[in-house]
């Protein structure tokens, strides 16, 4: 492990540059020759601190992995230019920000800023409060939403973009050439299970949906995965209460566990679209951000890998008047918008589950509570069939831990929590550096750690297969390093992190903002392999046609909330 100096976390997080391209020079090391394709990263197009990190329209960053003729690494940035985004530029006064959302007569804006998913030479962008959309991986131009408005459950009205909440991470089914989604109502009474649908789309034609029963109430749903015979999805510690819409911090903490739901593909196949399928609900310790699921099911059991998020709160952000809980000192305004996530060691869970009974046959955790904190995002080899069949390695980027960035609002909710790895009263008084770690999922241990100095940290990490290699996990990990001064792109040998980056690339003006998820994609050969598009006229018709159902849902929710209020007073 390398030795580093650990000052406070860099303040260079949200000073983004928007749609700007760069040619980065390799300033140290040698850029590998056996890499090809591109890394795609999506995130909110933040140009300055303020508001919620997630509350801006999507920006895609494309890193060309083959240097150009002059040896430069080319990086492009383009906005996800949806029809509503274009309307916003034309009629800005019709749009208003509410917390991390944007509202207008056209609906709840689909920010398209959270996840990128490649499949069959196509690239899809996900956002938890909107439909997935497709962009061209060559030009980064917006192409179409996936599914018309009348094909999804609508939760709030709009003339063009009603709220269609679809988990940002669909499950790519490589064998069946399909994407699986979870579509649910984000607006429901407290302690009432939201209407939830499992959806499948075969990359063309209609989106088919099945209502899911057997679920208890949840905060939100963010990630979906498939095995050979099952669809698996989990909840997320992202709880939106009435106080959120008034610009206030959360009134209660997030749940202390994970709910995992398992649906048999055979049940879906036997049920006509529009019918009902039953989910098996499994409860596991600690909340979860993301999951991986082995494709193979030896002995009929499912192996699940969870990126746990102990004591994380994705709604709670540092505000302009945020203060250090220890002494009341103001926290620097450069951090405004940062979510409360880097407050515990990074934890990865591995579970083997019987999908018939729900029994957790095996459970184990991997962590390094001394060196690896503030887990932000993971990556894995999801590109080769053998790697998908059985996950062996996980790479995990962490922001570290900074005792000067524990806000009073978080402390009020979590100071007496007993479900974290480290109790809040026992949190360290010294900083822990940001890291890139490799987790051995067979031995369930942190196998390697590369630490960053001067408050820097890597995010997101992206696994890139080595060109011409077939072995699982044989490749590289590419990271964007956020630091004071020009930022960097670094590339590591995936199996030898502690040897340090093979190469570092940067330029004097390279300063992308902190973004979210990423993926690798081979260069496409030939034109787009589909002519699928949703006509705008159908979308408008579907939005207007869905209005009566949305209003009925609002009325039912109002009655339920009134009953709950009366019961509370009784």
């Amino acid at each position: 492990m390398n030795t580093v100096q650990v000052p406070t976390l860099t303040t260079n997080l949200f000073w983004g540059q928007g749609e700007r391209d760069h040619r980065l020079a390799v300033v140290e090391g040698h850029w590998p020759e056996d890499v090809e394709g591109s890394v795609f990263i999506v995130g909110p197009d933040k140009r300055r601190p303020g508001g919620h990190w997630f509350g801006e329209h999507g920006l895609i960053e494309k890193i060309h992995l083959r240097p150009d003729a002059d040896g430069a690494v080319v990086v492009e940035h383009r906005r996800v230019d949806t029809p509503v985004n274009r309307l916003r530029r034309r009629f800005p006064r019709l749009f208003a920000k509410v917390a991390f959302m944007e509202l207008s007569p056209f609906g709840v804006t689909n920010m398209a800023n959270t996840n990128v998913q490649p499949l069959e030479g196509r690239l899809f962008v996900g956002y938890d409060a909107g439909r997935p959309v497709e962009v061209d991986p060559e030009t980064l131009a917006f192409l179409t939403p996936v599914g018309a408005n009348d094909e999804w459950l609508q939760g709030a009205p709009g003339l063009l973009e009603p709220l269609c909440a679809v988990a940002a991470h669909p499950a790519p089914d490589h064998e069946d050439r399909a994407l699986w989604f979870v579509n649910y109502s984000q607006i429901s009474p407290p302690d009432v299970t939201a209407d939830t649908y499992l959806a499948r789309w075969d990359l063309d034609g209609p989106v088919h949906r099945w209502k899911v029963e057997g679920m208890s109430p949840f905060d939100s749903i963010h990630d979906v995965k498939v095995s050979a015979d099952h669809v698996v999805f989990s909840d997320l510690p992202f709880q939106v209460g009435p106080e959120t819409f008034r610009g206030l911090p959360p009134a209660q903490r997030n749940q202390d566990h994970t709910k995992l739901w398992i649906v048999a593909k055979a049940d879906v196949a036997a049920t006509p679209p529009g019918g009902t399928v039953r989910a098996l609900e499994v409860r596991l310790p600690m909340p979860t951000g993301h999951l991986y699921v082995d494709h193979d099911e030896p002995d009929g059991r499912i192996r699940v890998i969870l990126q746990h998020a102990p004591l994380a709160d994705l709604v709670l952000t540092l505000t302009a008047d945020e203060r250090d809980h220890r002494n009341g000192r103001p926290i620097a305004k450069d951090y405004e918008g940062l979510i409360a996530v880097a407050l515990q060691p990074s934890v990865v869970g591995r579970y083997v589950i019987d999908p018939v009974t729900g029994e957790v046959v095996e459970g184990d955790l991997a962590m390094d509570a001394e060196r690896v904190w503030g887990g932000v995002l993971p990556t894995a080899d999801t590109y080769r069939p053998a790697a998908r069949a059985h996950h062996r390695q996980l790479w995990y980027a962490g922001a570290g831990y900074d005792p000067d960035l524990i806000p009073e609002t978080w402390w009020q909710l979590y100071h007496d929590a007993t479900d974290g790895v480290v109790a809040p009263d026992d949190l360290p008084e010294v900083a822990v550096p940001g890291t890139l770690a490799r987790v051995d999922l067979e031995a369930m241990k942190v196998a390697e750690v590369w630490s960053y100095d001067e408050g820097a940290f890597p995010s997101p990490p992206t696994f890139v297969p080595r060109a011409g290699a077939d072995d699982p996990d044989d490749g590289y990990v590419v990271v964007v390093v956020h630091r004071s001064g020009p930022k960097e792109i670094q590339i590591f040998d995936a199996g030898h992190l502690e040897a340090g980056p093979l190469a570092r690339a940067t330029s004097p003006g390279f300063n992308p903002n902190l973004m979210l998820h990423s993926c690798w994609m081979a260069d496409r050969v030939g034109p787009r392999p589909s002519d699928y598009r949703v006509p705008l006229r159908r979308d408008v018709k579907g939005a207007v046609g869905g209005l009566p159902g949305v209003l009925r849902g609002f009325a039912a929710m109002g009655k339920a909330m009134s009953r709950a209020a009366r019961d509370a007073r009784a």
Side-chain angles (χ1 to χ4, degrees):
M1 176 181 173
N2 54 319
T3 302
V4 300
Q5 299 295 318
V6 192
T8 190
L9 182 71
T10 178
T11 58
N12 190 12
L13 301 174
F14 301 127
W15 296 101
Q17 300 170 312
E19 291 187 307
R20 181 174 172 181
D21 297 342
H22 302 267
R23 298 179 68 255
L24 309 185
V26 177
V27 296
E28 182 177 280
H30 176 71
W31 197 269
E33 296 181 359
D34 53 353
V35 289
E36 58 187 16
S38 299
V39 166
F40 295 87
I41 305 173
V42 71
D45 183 14
K46 289 188 74 69
R47 311 290 178 90
R48 60 188 60 84
H52 195 289
W53 177 17
F54 302 161
E56 296 292 344
H57 287 249
L59 181 75
I60 294 183
E61 180 176 72
K62 180 178 181 180
I63 304 170
H64 296 259
L65 293 175
R66 285 193 178 274
D68 66 13
D70 297 322
V73 177
V74 176
V75 183
E76 300 176 81
H77 294 92
R78 296 290 183 274
R79 268 208 160 192
V80 184
D81 203 18
T82 63
V84 167
N85 191 27
R86 295 194 289 271
L87 286 169
R88 181 178 179 268
R89 289 200 302 273
R90 188 171 181 182
F91 307 107
R93 293 185 179 181
L94 296 179
F95 291 77
K97 280 285 184 66
V98 179
F100 45 80
M101 295 170 288
E102 184 178 79
L103 308 179
S104 74
F106 305 107
V108 180
T109 300
N110 181 349
M111 299 291 197
N113 69 12
T114 306
N115 182 50
V116 276
Q117 177 62 60
L119 188 63
E120 297 289 323
R122 297 164 71 181
L123 186 64
F124 303 94
V125 178
Y127 176 65
D128 288 305
R131 295 172 289 171
V133 303
E134 183 177 357
V135 299
D136 189 309
E138 298 302 313
T139 66
L140 304 183
F142 170 85
L143 294 174
T144 180
V146 172
N149 283 318
D150 58 13
E151 295 182 89
W152 298 103
L153 173 69
Q154 298 178 22
L159 297 176
L160 177 58
E161 210 162 67
L163 174 60
C164 300
V166 182
H169 294 262
D173 200 327
H174 296 270
E175 286 66 34
D176 291 344
R177 298 183 64 256
L179 287 169
W180 294 84
F181 305 94
V182 172
N183 173 210
Y184 66 100
S185 174
Q186 284 186 330
I187 302 175
S188 61
D191 301 319
V192 174
T193 303
D195 286 343
T196 304
Y197 291 82
L198 183 65
R200 173 179 163 135
W201 181 57
D202 294 331
L203 305 186
D204 206 347
V207 174
H208 296 298
R209 288 191 295 135
W210 295 262
K211 191 167 186 177
V212 182
E213 63 179 16
M215 301 173 64
S216 63
F218 54 86
D219 290 347
S220 63
I221 296 174
H222 180 62
D223 202 353
V224 190
K225 294 292 185 288
V226 293
S227 62
D229 299 318
H230 294 86
V231 183
V232 183
F233 52 100
S234 69
D235 58 0
L236 181 75
F238 194 92
Q239 185 180 65
V240 178
E243 67 280 353
T244 305
F245 299 97
R246 300 196 299 270
L248 300 174
Q252 62 182 12
R253 60 154 293 174
N254 284 319
Q255 63 190 39
D256 60 1
H257 58 275
T258 292
K259 289 178 182 176
L260 203 68
W261 295 280
I262 302 171
V263 177
K265 288 181 178 178
D267 290 349
V268 177
T271 306
T276 299
V277 294
R278 173 163 285 275
L280 177 71
E281 183 171 296
V282 179
R283 181 165 165 160
L284 298 169
M286 284 192 285
T288 288
H290 303 92
L291 69 153
Y292 296 87
V293 177
D294 287 355
H295 176 271
D296 292 354
E297 299 183 16
D299 302 319
R301 293 170 174 171
I302 299 174
R303 183 172 176 263
V304 179
I305 309 299
L306 299 185
Q307 175 217 349
H308 282 301
L311 306 190
D313 196 316
L314 306 186
V315 174
L316 199 159
T317 62
L318 299 184
T319 60
D321 57 355
E322 194 64 74
R323 294 183 178 273
D324 186 327
H325 82 96
R326 301 168 301 178
N327 48 39
R329 293 175 182 167
I331 292 176
K333 296 184 185 299
D334 289 298
Y335 297 113
E336 186 181 351
L338 187 64
I339 59 176
V341 68
L343 299 162
Q344 289 281 291
S346 308
V347 183
V348 174
R350 182 189 69 193
Y351 303 93
V352 177
I353 301 171
D354 186 325
V356 177
T357 66
E359 178 188 2
V360 180
V361 179
E362 175 189 317
D364 204 355
L365 300 176
M367 70 186 85
D368 186 331
E370 292 186 2
R371 300 186 295 170
V372 183
W373 281 62
V376 182
L377 294 170
T379 189
D381 183 358
T382 57
Y383 307 103
R384 300 183 178 102
R388 294 193 297 268
H390 181 83
H391 291 89
R392 298 164 178 82
Q393 307 286 339
L394 187 76
W395 292 267
Y396 205 172
Y401 163 80
D402 189 338
D404 295 335
L405 295 180
I406 303 177
E408 176 63 28
T409 47
W410 180 87
W411 189 260
Q412 289 176 0
L413 292 176
Y414 293 92
H415 70 276
D416 58 353
T418 59
D419 52 292
V421 175
V422 177
D425 280 335
D426 296 329
L427 287 171
E429 286 296 324
V430 296
V432 178
T435 55
L436 179 63
R438 178 172 63 85
V439 180
D440 184 333
L441 298 176
E442 305 285 54
M444 283 306 287
K445 68 177 184 179
V446 176
E448 289 189 285
V449 178
W450 179 259
S451 298
Y452 287 84
D453 60 7
E454 299 181 349
F457 71 98
S459 187
T462 311
F463 181 85
V464 174
R466 191 187 308 273
D470 296 322
D471 292 338
D473 305 321
D474 185 0
Y476 302 95
V477 176
V478 173
V479 296
V480 178
V481 179
H482 302 275
R483 57 190 294 272
S484 300
K487 299 187 180 183
E488 296 182 357
I489 291 175
Q490 297 181 355
I491 185 166
F492 290 78
D493 185 316
H496 299 90
L497 295 188
E498 291 186 346
L502 298 172
R504 298 169 44 234
T506 188
S507 69
F510 184 57
N511 203 63
N513 62 279
L514 181 62
M515 297 177 72
L516 288 169
H517 287 282
S518 63
C519 68
W520 170 84
M521 187 174 177
D523 293 329
R524 190 176 70 198
V525 178
R528 177 187 180 217
S530 171
D531 58 1
Y532 175 88
R533 290 184 189 271
V534 173
L536 183 62
R537 178 176 296 181
R538 178 180 175 182
D539 245 4
V540 173
K541 184 178 179 181
V544 174
L547 185 58
V550 171
L551 295 179
R552 285 194 298 270
F554 279 178
M557 182 176 66
K559 292 179 181 178
M561 294 181 75
S562 297
R563 286 196 300 269
R566 288 196 300 270
D567 293 343
R569 290 193 299 266

